[in-house]
Amino acid sequence: MARAYDVVAIEKKWQRRWADEGTYEVDVDDPRPPWYVLSMYPYPSGPAHMGHVRNYTFGDLLVRHRTMLGHAVLSPFGFDSFGLPAENAAIKTGTHPRIFTDARIAELKASVISLGAVYDWRREIRSHDPSYIKWNQVIFTSLLEAGLAYRATAPVNWCPGCQTVLANEQVLPDGTCERSGDLVIQRDLEQWFFRITDYADELLADLDELDWPERVKTMQRNWIGRSEGAEMDLAVVGQNLVDGEPLVLTVFTTRPDTSFGMTYAVVAPEHPLVDVLTTDEHRHQVDDVLSRAAISSEIERTAEGGGEAAKRGAFTGSYVRNPFTGQPVPVYVADYVLMGYGTGAIMAVPAEDARDWNFAKAYGLPFVRTVRPPEGWEEHGGPDGGPGGAYTGPGEKINSDWLNGLDIPEAKAKAIDWLEAEGIGVRKVNYRLRDWLVSRQRFWGCPIPVVYCPDHGIVPVPFDQLPVLAPDDVEFLPTGESPLATNEAFLNTTCPIDGGPAIRETDTMDTFVDSSWYFLRFCDPWNEDRPFDQDKVRHWMPVDQYIGGIEHAILHLLYARFYTKALADLGFAPEGLREPFDSLFTQGMIRMDGHKMSKSRGNLVAPSKYIETVGADALRLFHLFVGPPADDVDWTEQTDSVIDGCGRFLDRVWRLATGTDGNTPLRDGELTPEDMAVRRKTHLLIDKVTRDYERWSYNTAVAECMGFVNVLQPYVRGGGHAEVAAEAIDTLLLLLAPMTPHVTAEAWELRHGDHIHLRPWPLADPALAVVEQVTLVVQVNGKVRDRIEVSPDIGAEEAERLALESPRIVETLDGQAPKRVISRPPKLVNLVV
RNA sequence: GCCCGGGUGGCGGAAUGGCAGACGCGAUGGACUCAAAAUCCAUUGUCCGAAAGGGCGUGCGGGUUCGAGUCCCGCCCCGGGCACCA
């Protein structure tokens, strides 16, 4: 597509200037008020893809807009440079992950710059830099000393063929290894955890204060999953005694009020009592369930089995007594109960729990309703209007002896009081949130700085020996096994306490650890004495605006919040810093063929072909114009022509700004009514676009600018007033500057000689930003029957009078008097007859 | 399965409970041109009508309201996350 100006040359020129002049480098001594804008730092997967472009377009727009508003804007950039893809590439090609990663970083950095996004590159962070590794490890040892890091066993995906641990991503949907095709099994390993559950209540409570999208906060609340309920002991019926004590099965329930409806109990396949509970005649079926659970992921296990349901559970042969009814109920083992939640055992109440209902149906188990369902529930309360199943809504307690007649909250409280009085149960708050498993059996990550001494056990590597770095002379096996685990030189070390032989930890940290504090390091990336200086962090933090993909709604954002709180408690971060990100914006994804555009799906579209032709400005404008930033974008065969359309719009702006749009001379002298109309439109535009910027409605801001050009172009061609045209064009350039920084900078320089991005954001003159006439809609019974041009400050009675006098309304009413008149000046009058 | 979103012309989308479809893409017709490109002008939800005008229309079914794309209830379909991709 031929363009009105030399796009590539102009964009290169300004990118060089912003870098050379350090336009966007800021320090704590800057007199302007600080503002911290951060786009989530990327995993360097090669040249930027469209998701990056979208992310950095929004971020860069904010940096430039805030700068024009007079702030010292901290805009850093870095790379989340540890991770699986580099290790996989090493296994495939033999290239060291560092060589591979540094090359990808160079590509990504170049394409980010070519987008015209501006950063304080002096502050660049790479999580695989030894300096970052060092402070990452210092923080780890502090967490360990504070008791916030600990070791425990946890299952991993184990590929018997590769003899290695697999990431979930490497396990195919059918449960086999993507590399070898072997069936993946679950295997227990000793691993490192961070005690995020210590912060569960604070993580939950502090969400209320954050200026985050409601849906993200909701997802986090649900993820933390605080539920109040009870733990109770169910006596196992019969001869089972352990060390002379009667055997009890402890269950957790959020619905103690439904206890009278317990018709069976379920233990998780991993439950320690499974073996004791299982009688010989049922052992075969139970073992079947156990072995199936061992090879299933959690999602498969909790998914509805449908016809498979019969294979997912088995009767153990044992019974427990329902303490409320005194009746024995059978104990099943089933994979829909997870060992990691509650006590790993449940009382099953099919009438009031959907999963219990499905299981009970499949196994022919009885149900007893303890909450009266709504009228007609049994006939058509179910999906598609069929018979109702489990009823989980509110209602009156029934079939529950001394709880009958109460509502659910009352019955809950009374049931727990009774359990506590009887000494068989306690009130208990439970969280769905589990501690954070940070161990990874991989090479390309931050080594966990710990050694194992035969005499002293777990010993953190002392400060003066940090960072612990992985050796370079390693071989990557096609099985995917981490070379750290077998590297004798790395493995064998000495104990920091007694100097005797010791073994190094070979696990590395989850890359989410790296990304949990990088925003703090950005405040002070040069610090050689500590992770960051408290005063500098106090100056910039919390991040005023954080921007990233909705896919990070839970994990990354929750971990970063936890880390910030823990770092403050450990004394690294300022005491009062409890939250890292004041305001969060989650952009939508780019979709192609109905799926998220991602490298793993192989459906990436490279931005370079656009940057080299229509230019970065047009591509940025497209991303801003295509729809609301929070919505997903569908990349289709029509997208290219929309991007071209954005380029065409910039051409029109260029021709207007450079006076190359026809040769009609402009006027001087008195302003005509038409000139005044253009002035008013200019100031209304400032008002509208400013408000759109504030509410992240860039698509309508762009549309408004396009509409303005549609007015301005004929005005200038028709020989408009020189000063009015100049004001209009300058305003347009200023409003567009954060969106399309190159073309506006060049045009502004040609017009005024200075730098548009250092100019203040325009202000609307309230006397000019006024609408002169609005359309009053007149409806009869809600249908539009006339439109009348009125003054915007018309009163209700005047509007009603005008409506009733309108000839078209007189005709429509045909002599009837309206029964009711709704007058909402200046927009609408509705006559109800 | 659980949690969170979304569904409006041919397409992307706009619309503090008040004119549904701004703006753009595409399409059609026209101007300019030897011709094309570029540019500019006009039309463009759908049905009836020559027109004026009217009927219908925001995934489906109900409800609240003078008035519903917007609020409530119940569905259907599509997407994201589900703890080792980041």
Side-chain angles (χ1 to χ4, degrees), chain A residues 399-463:
Chain A
N399 300 324
S400 299
D401 199 345
W402 41 272
L403 293 176
N404 282 340
L406 300 179
D407 68 19
I408 291 170
E410 288 165 350
K412 259 189 197 175
K414 197 167 173 188
I416 297 172
D417 289 345
W418 181 80
L419 284 168
E420 291 190 329
E422 295 287 313
I424 49 175
V426 287
R427 182 169 269 108
K428 174 102 187 195
V429 174
N430 208 22
Y431 296 93
R432 212 185 72 95
L433 180 68
R434 307 200 291 250
D435 274 339
W436 176 9
L437 198 171
V438 296
S439 290
R440 297 293 181 268
Q441 294 72 39
R442 306 203 192 291
F443 174 84
W444 192 236
C446 178
I448 292 176
V450 157
V451 302
Y452 299 99
C453 167
D455 297 321
H456 298 96
I458 297 166
V459 183
V461 177
F463 178 76

Side-chain angles (χ1 to χ4, degrees), chain A residues 684-743:
Chain A
L684 282 168
L685 181 75
I686 296 172
D687 188 56
K688 171 84 163 97
V689 171
T690 300
R691 282 185 287 115
D692 282 350
Y693 265 71
E694 280 160 12
R695 63 183 183 117
W696 287 75
S697 185
Y698 304 116
N699 53 330
T700 54
V702 174
E704 215 61 35
C705 291
M706 287 173 168
F708 187 65
V709 167
N710 290 343
V711 171
L712 200 53
Q713 191 175 328
Y715 174 75
V716 168
R717 287 185 179 184
H721 193 282
E723 283 169 35
V724 172
E727 182 190 31
I729 292 163
D730 284 345
T731 299
L732 181 67
L733 291 176
L734 289 165
L735 296 176
L736 288 172
M739 306 200 229
T740 56
H742 312 88
V743 64

Side-chain angles (χ1 to χ4, degrees), chain A residues 546-780:
Chain A
Y546 198 38
I547 309 163
I550 185 69
E551 66 271 24
H552 293 292
I554 296 172
L555 295 181
H556 162 59
L557 290 167
L558 194 66
Y559 293 147
R561 294 181 61 220
F562 157 64
Y563 233 61
T564 301
K565 293 172 191 298
L567 287 172
D569 290 341
L570 293 173
F572 288 112
E575 203 180 344
L577 187 69
R578 302 312 296 178
E579 287 290 338
F581 316 122
D582 254 358
S583 189
L584 170 72
F585 190 86
T586 49
Q587 66 187 56
M589 286 168 299
I590 316 274
R591 287 199 307 215
M592 201 170 176
D593 311 322
H595 296 287
K596 162 181 167 180
M597 190 184 273
S598 72
K599 190 160 191 173
S600 55
R601 284 200 175 269
N603 58 356
L604 294 182
V605 173
S608 54
K609 76 173 223 197
Y610 300 99
I611 289 172
E612 287 155 16
T613 54
V614 289
D617 281 338
L619 184 60
R620 292 167 61 121
L621 195 66
F622 162 78
H623 277 285
L624 295 165
F625 181 58
V626 69
D631 288 6
D632 290 348
V633 177
D634 279 306
W635 202 272
T636 69
E637 64 278 4
Q638 279 205 18
T639 301
D640 278 9
S641 52
V642 180
I643 296 172
D644 283 346
C646 290
R648 271 199 296 276
F649 168 70
L650 294 178
D651 284 344
R652 298 175 75 190
V653 172
W654 174 264
R655 287 191 298 260
L656 272 171
T658 53
T660 48
D661 190 51
N663 293 314
T664 319
L666 297 172
R667 284 179 285 114
D668 289 323
E670 293 289 304
L671 298 186
T672 65
E674 196 203 355
D675 298 332
M676 283 308 296
V678 171
R679 286 209 72 195
R680 274 195 298 275
K681 284 202 168 71
T682 303
H683 285 262
L684 282 168
L685 181 75
I686 296 172
D687 188 56
K688 171 84 163 97
V689 171
T690 300
R691 282 185 287 115
D692 282 350
Y693 265 71
E694 280 160 12
R695 63 183 183 117
W696 287 75
S697 185
Y698 304 116
N699 53 330
T700 54
V702 174
E704 215 61 35
C705 291
M706 287 173 168
F708 187 65
V709 167
N710 290 343
V711 171
L712 200 53
Q713 191 175 328
Y715 174 75
V716 168
R717 287 185 179 184
H721 193 282
E723 283 169 35
V724 172
E727 182 190 31
I729 292 163
D730 284 345
T731 299
L732 181 67
L733 291 176
L734 289 165
L735 296 176
L736 288 172
M739 306 200 229
T740 56
H742 312 88
V743 64
T744 50
E746 182 70 13
W748 187 273
E749 190 181 45
L750 289 173
R751 290 168 67 81
H752 301 284
D754 63 339
H755 193 166
I756 192 169
H757 295 289
L758 300 177
R759 303 282 303 194
W761 187 251
L763 265 178
D765 180 345
L768 284 167
V770 290
V771 182
E772 293 242 294
Q773 264 202 340
V774 294
T775 305
L776 176 77
V777 170
V778 186
Q779 298 180 333
V780 176

Side-chain angles (χ1 to χ4, degrees), chain A residues 56-243:
Chain A
Y56 306 139
T57 296
F58 298 133
D60 188 58
L61 176 149
L62 281 178
V63 171
R64 294 174 182 279
H65 181 218
R66 279 281 153 189
T67 301
M68 290 174 83
L69 289 172
H71 287 92
V73 180
L74 177 60
S75 167
F77 202 92
F79 300 92
D80 185 15
S81 50
F82 276 135
L84 199 55
E87 196 159 337
N88 286 339
I91 291 162
K92 211 169 169 182
T93 65
T95 313
H96 191 283
R98 184 184 309 105
I99 311 286
F100 176 84
T101 300
D102 285 341
R104 300 291 82 75
I105 287 176
E107 290 169 345
L108 182 49
K109 189 170 174 175
S111 56
V112 165
I113 291 170
S114 73
L115 192 61
V118 283
Y119 301 97
D120 185 348
W121 285 105
R122 302 170 306 159
R123 296 174 185 265
E124 179 181 339
I125 287 174
R126 303 173 177 206
S127 48
H128 74 286
D129 270 351
S131 63
Y132 197 77
I133 291 172
K134 177 175 172 177
W135 299 116
N136 225 1
Q137 292 174 339
V138 167
I139 293 168
F140 182 95
T141 54
S142 291
L143 288 166
L144 180 56
E145 279 156 21
L148 288 169
Y150 66 95
R151 267 165 80 77
T153 38
V156 291
N157 299 313
W158 180 261
C159 174
C162 301
Q163 288 288 297
T164 189
V165 176
L166 300 182
N168 287 345
E169 196 187 45
Q170 297 171 301
V171 182
L172 300 176
D174 64 358
T176 61
C177 169
E178 67 171 10
R179 219 184 321 253
S180 70
D182 286 18
L183 196 60
V184 177
I185 61 167
Q186 300 294 303
R187 185 172 150 179
D188 279 338
L189 277 187
E190 275 277 300
Q191 306 193 69
W192 285 97
F193 288 82
F194 285 160
R195 219 177 281 282
I196 189 173
T197 51
D198 272 12
Y199 287 83
D201 268 322
E202 196 190 340
L203 287 167
L204 186 64
D206 290 352
L207 280 173
D208 296 341
E209 306 305 316
L210 296 177
D211 178 21
W212 285 21
E214 260 329 300
R215 69 158 154 161
V216 174
K217 294 206 267 186
T218 305
M219 283 192 259
Q220 292 221 347
R221 284 189 192 105
N222 291 338
W223 188 258
I224 295 167
R226 184 180 200 275
S227 55
E228 293 180 18
E231 231 172 64
M232 68 172 108
D233 293 339
L234 306 178
V236 177
V237 177
Q239 76 290 19
N240 298 298
L241 292 175
V242 174
D243 301 332

Side-chain angles (χ1 to χ4, degrees), chain A residues 386-401:
Chain A
Y391 174 68
T392 55
E396 179 200 345
K397 296 308 297 183
I398 52 170
N399 300 324
S400 299
D401 199 345

